[in-house]
Amino acid sequence: MNHLVVFSHPNPKSFNRAILDAYTAALKERGHDVRIRDLYALGFDPVLSASDLSGVSEGRLAPEVREEQEHVRWANVIAFIYPLWWAGMPAIAKGYVDRVFTEGFAYSFGPEGLERHLTGKKVLTITTLGDTLENYTKRAFIESMNRLMDGIMFDFAGLEVLGHTYFGSVPTVTDGQRKEMLEDVRRLARSVG
């Protein structure tokens, strides 16, 4: 099975990087093919420009967008790994969705309305949190993020959502708790496909 991992954290020594490493290693151990798109390392430009918009309607995409769309086409499963910043994914990750999941590629509007073009593909998300999961849940952040990202954004393109995993209090948990979290990541990877 082909797994595309879209990774968004600027610090190569972050816990998010440890999650990426654990997730992809577990996939490879099971014989899956894995492609990692480290958006910060790539210097991916998240800004959807006027040129991007006109290019979509004229069939003229920026080379980096065309390349990322090829990775999405190749994938059976897409995983997004990122920290929660200001109640959402980092701008670079949102910009990836804005620029890569274009009309005509991820969706279009036909005579019957919305047409989803990424059906048959699956998506999952792993998000780290600064505060406790309980506090985010009490304040309805988790419900809102699940509804917005999984229930609207990914569904809009026809992706089957496998789930959204959250790890809370990442800056303050013990090393032992981080090891448990990484084991949860490995279990998640082994359960996918």
Side-chain angles (χ1 to χ4, degrees):
M1 188 171 284
N2 297 336
H3 291 260
L4 176 65
V5 184
V6 181
F7 177 70
S8 305
H9 199 291
N11 182 351
K13 296 180 180 180
S14 69
F15 186 64
N16 277 259
R17 172 62 68 169
I19 289 171
L20 171 69
D21 293 344
Y23 182 76
T24 57
L27 289 174
K28 290 175 183 177
E29 286 168 9
R30 297 207 44 191
H32 296 292
D33 291 321
V34 178
R35 291 183 185 173
I36 299 168
R37 307 307 291 159
D38 181 337
L39 299 183
Y40 283 97
L42 291 169
F44 185 80
D45 182 357
V47 178
L48 179 67
S49 68
S51 175
D52 285 334
L53 284 175
S54 63
V56 168
S57 61
E58 297 166 7
R60 176 182 44 79
L61 298 176
E64 68 271 16
V65 171
R66 194 174 304 281
E67 179 182 355
E68 296 308 318
Q69 287 181 347
E70 286 305 315
H71 291 300
V72 172
R73 276 190 192 94
W74 169 84
N76 303 110
V77 179
I78 304 165
F80 286 83
I81 299 173
Y82 58 82
L84 181 70
W85 286 350
W86 291 108
M89 53 180 33
I92 200 166
K94 179 59 168 67
Y96 183 91
V97 174
D98 289 347
R99 292 190 70 209
V100 175
F101 287 45
T102 61
E103 184 174 0
F105 172 72
Y107 68 95
S108 59
F109 297 103
E112 304 296 317
L114 176 63
E115 296 174 358
R116 295 168 169 90
H117 297 305
L118 299 182
T119 56
K121 296 183 182 297
K122 300 174 182 180
V123 66
L124 64 92
T125 307
I126 302 171
T127 304
T128 58
L129 310 170
D131 199 358
T132 67
L133 185 57
E134 294 75 23
N135 282 341
Y136 282 104
T137 301
K138 273 194 295 194
R139 296 171 71 193
F141 282 5
I142 301 299
E143 178 186 348
S144 297
M145 287 184 292
N146 288 346
R147 183 175 294 138
L148 176 64
M149 288 181 255
D150 304 334
I152 297 173
M153 186 170 69
F154 293 141
D155 179 66
F156 198 82
L159 294 164
E160 177 189 343
V161 176
L162 297 177
H164 197 142
T165 301
Y166 297 92
F167 293 107
S169 303
V170 167
T172 58
V173 295
T174 66
D175 286 343
Q177 289 169 308
R178 282 192 187 91
K179 287 177 184 172
E180 289 173 22
M181 291 175 182
L182 293 176
E183 189 50 44
D184 288 343
V185 168
R186 289 182 195 90
R187 275 193 289 274
L188 174 63
R190 289 190 289 266
S191 74
V192 179

